[in-house]
Amino acid sequence: MIRTKIDRLNTGQSLRPEELKSLVLLTDPELQRYLREKGRQKAQEHFGNGVYIRGLIEFTNYCANDCYYCGLRRSNRKVRRYRLDRRAILLCCKTGYELGFRTFVLQGGEDQGFQVKEMTGLIEDIRRSYPDCAITLSIGERSAGEYQAYFNAGADRYLLRHETANEEHYRRLHPDRLSLKQRKACLYQLRAIGYQAGTGFMVGSPYQTADHLVADLQFIQELQPQMIGIGPFLPHRDTPFGTFLPGSLSQTLNLIAILRLMHPTALIPATTALGSLVPDGREQGILCGANVVMPNLSPVQVREKYMLYNNKLFSGAEAAEGLRDLEKRLNTIGYRIAYGRGDYQQPHSLQERSTHVI
Ligand code: 5AD
């Protein structure tokens, strides 16, 4: 019985892989409604009707990697590349702070053009100017030393999606020089250093199967990240995957609900990709258990150059300057913006365990 499985997830029990698979493949409308309602209730229990905001600063679209799905891949010669300097980035933070953001997410391609020293300098500047804010990095695979340097400089959080937890599938999405092993090693390093870590995957990426999604859920269960970002795959015409179909809305929503039940206190964004797939995608994500949105704080003139996929949203409620619009949209579904850093809340079971250790 599917309902029993959902109820078991809802009460903190774990499911066997084939049981998870039946939830990943769920299409029955009644059961999907039941699952999503449980996801929503679980988020409400822990976060009420508050949705955290993070200001996303896309500070460079240069990338040394060549991932087959991503519009910013190195081989895409049509991209006009840009790199924001320190002044421009600090200005984004200032604007964001005034708007009420208390988390800045510095996201970029794997840009070799920024020296480690430059990055640490930048992080130190932000840390000094905004001691009450969280600094999140999302700049891909780096050495352990580099991760440590950024942490020491004041970064708190790091986003690095694993993209897919299946080896073969990973190889179909990435060129040879990238490996799932290395990706996972980075995530464990980030955790060991003390970052709040985020991972995640695309739903409906080319060649993905239900078993791959089960592996994703299992990997996330093992890693226990503080943040989990998922969104539908969306094709970009100037990539090798340009003619593939986008990921499914309903499967993405089901997975948000499943992840919410498996990780009651995690920070789960209703992503830009979800909002780009359908106009009310982010609201639908929140109604299934997502509790974060990441409006765009990048300078307006560079936004269209950060095209991971076609038709990416970057204005209106998606933009930092559209916070009022976002607030209104959240209000219509019974939610509101939660200002504040919104740090990860340790589940009670873990809090107890750590006091025992002390
Ligand atoms: N569709 C959806 N998501 C994408 N990403 C990159 N390219 C695409 C795409 N075509 C996601 C990846 C990456 C994050 C920054 O954006 O999961 O980790």
Side-chain angles (χ1 to χ4, degrees), residues 67-72 107-108 138 159-163 183 200-203 229 231-236 239 241 273 306-310:
C67 310
Y68 304 141
Y69 46 84
C70 182
L72 299 184
Q107 186 167 83
S138 179
L159 303 176
L160 183 71
R161 290 188 178 177
H162 65 280
E163 312 296 358
R183 196 76 167 182
F201 54 90
M202 289 174 287
V203 179
F233 161 76
L234 298 170
H236 186 297
T239 65
F241 292 162
Y306 205 87
M307 278 293 164
L308 304 172
Y309 39 80
N310 292 133

Side-chain angles (χ1 to χ4, degrees), residues 301-314:
Q301 66 277 15
V302 304
R303 286 187 195 168
E304 60 180 356
K305 301 189 187 113
Y306 205 87
M307 278 293 164
L308 304 172
Y309 39 80
N310 292 133
N311 310 314
K312 180 171 168 249
L313 282 188
F314 52 77

Side-chain angles (χ1 to χ4, degrees), residues 216-280:
D216 290 324
L217 296 175
Q218 289 177 307
F219 171 65
I220 292 173
Q221 186 66 26
E222 176 194 309
L223 180 70
Q224 289 290 317
Q226 285 87 359
M227 302 168 283
I228 308 168
I230 68 164
F233 161 76
L234 298 170
H236 186 297
R237 71 178 80 85
D238 302 314
T239 65
F241 292 162
T243 57
F244 281 82
L245 291 174
S248 129
L249 172 67
S250 71
Q251 193 170 43
T252 307
L253 294 173
N254 294 346
L255 280 158
I256 288 176
I258 294 170
L259 285 164
R260 171 55 68 207
L261 295 181
M262 295 175 78
H263 305 273
T265 61
L267 295 154
I268 302 181
T271 53
T272 307
L274 188 54
S276 300
L277 183 65
V278 289
D280 65 340

Side-chain angles (χ1 to χ4, degrees), residues 37-208:
E37 193 178 286
K38 294 295 169 201
R40 167 161 86 233
Q41 286 167 359
K42 187 62 84 186
Q44 290 255 354
E45 266 172 46
H46 291 274
F47 302 95
N49 61 355
V51 175
Y52 292 112
I53 49 168
R54 280 58 167 109
L56 186 62
I57 305 171
E58 296 161 336
F59 70 102
T60 171
N61 70 353
Y62 282 88
C63 192
N65 277 338
D66 219 15
C67 310
Y68 304 141
Y69 46 84
C70 182
L72 299 184
R73 63 199 304 268
R74 185 181 54 190
S75 301
N76 185 3
R77 293 287 138 80
K78 292 195 184 164
V79 182
R80 274 183 296 156
R81 305 284 170 174
Y82 72 90
R83 194 175 274 140
L84 300 183
D85 61 18
R86 183 192 290 221
R87 236 193 49 225
I89 297 168
L90 287 167
L91 198 58
C92 293
C93 296
K94 182 168 184 286
T95 310
Y97 193 87
E98 284 162 5
L99 287 166
F101 288 93
R102 293 297 176 268
T103 293
F104 303 120
V105 182
L106 296 180
Q107 186 167 83
E110 295 195 11
D111 183 358
Q112 315 287 319
F114 275 94
Q115 303 295 316
V116 178
K117 256 213 171 130
E118 265 179 278
M119 275 306 291
T120 49
L122 170 67
I123 295 163
E124 283 163 1
D125 279 353
I126 301 176
R127 175 50 60 239
R128 214 174 307 119
S129 309
Y130 306 99
D132 54 333
C133 292
I135 303 173
T136 306
L137 300 179
S138 179
I139 51 175
E141 296 184 15
R142 309 280 162 142
S143 69
E146 212 172 313
Y147 285 152
Q148 185 71 57
Y150 300 152
F151 187 76
N152 296 348
D156 310 276
R157 306 181 184 146
Y158 204 105
L159 303 176
L160 183 71
R161 290 188 178 177
H162 65 280
E163 312 296 358
T164 173
N166 175 279
E167 292 276 0
E168 265 166 59
H169 189 219
Y170 198 92
R171 260 181 271 127
R172 298 190 82 163
L173 302 183
H174 303 97
D176 281 346
R177 61 173 281 269
L178 294 179
S179 74
L180 178 58
K181 254 205 186 102
Q182 183 52 32
R183 196 76 167 182
K184 287 185 175 178
C186 286
L187 282 162
Y188 281 104
Q189 277 157 8
L190 290 163
R191 291 294 313 262
I193 290 169
Y195 281 98
Q196 293 178 41
T199 197
F201 54 90
M202 289 174 287
V203 179
S205 58
Y207 314 111
Q208 184 179 66

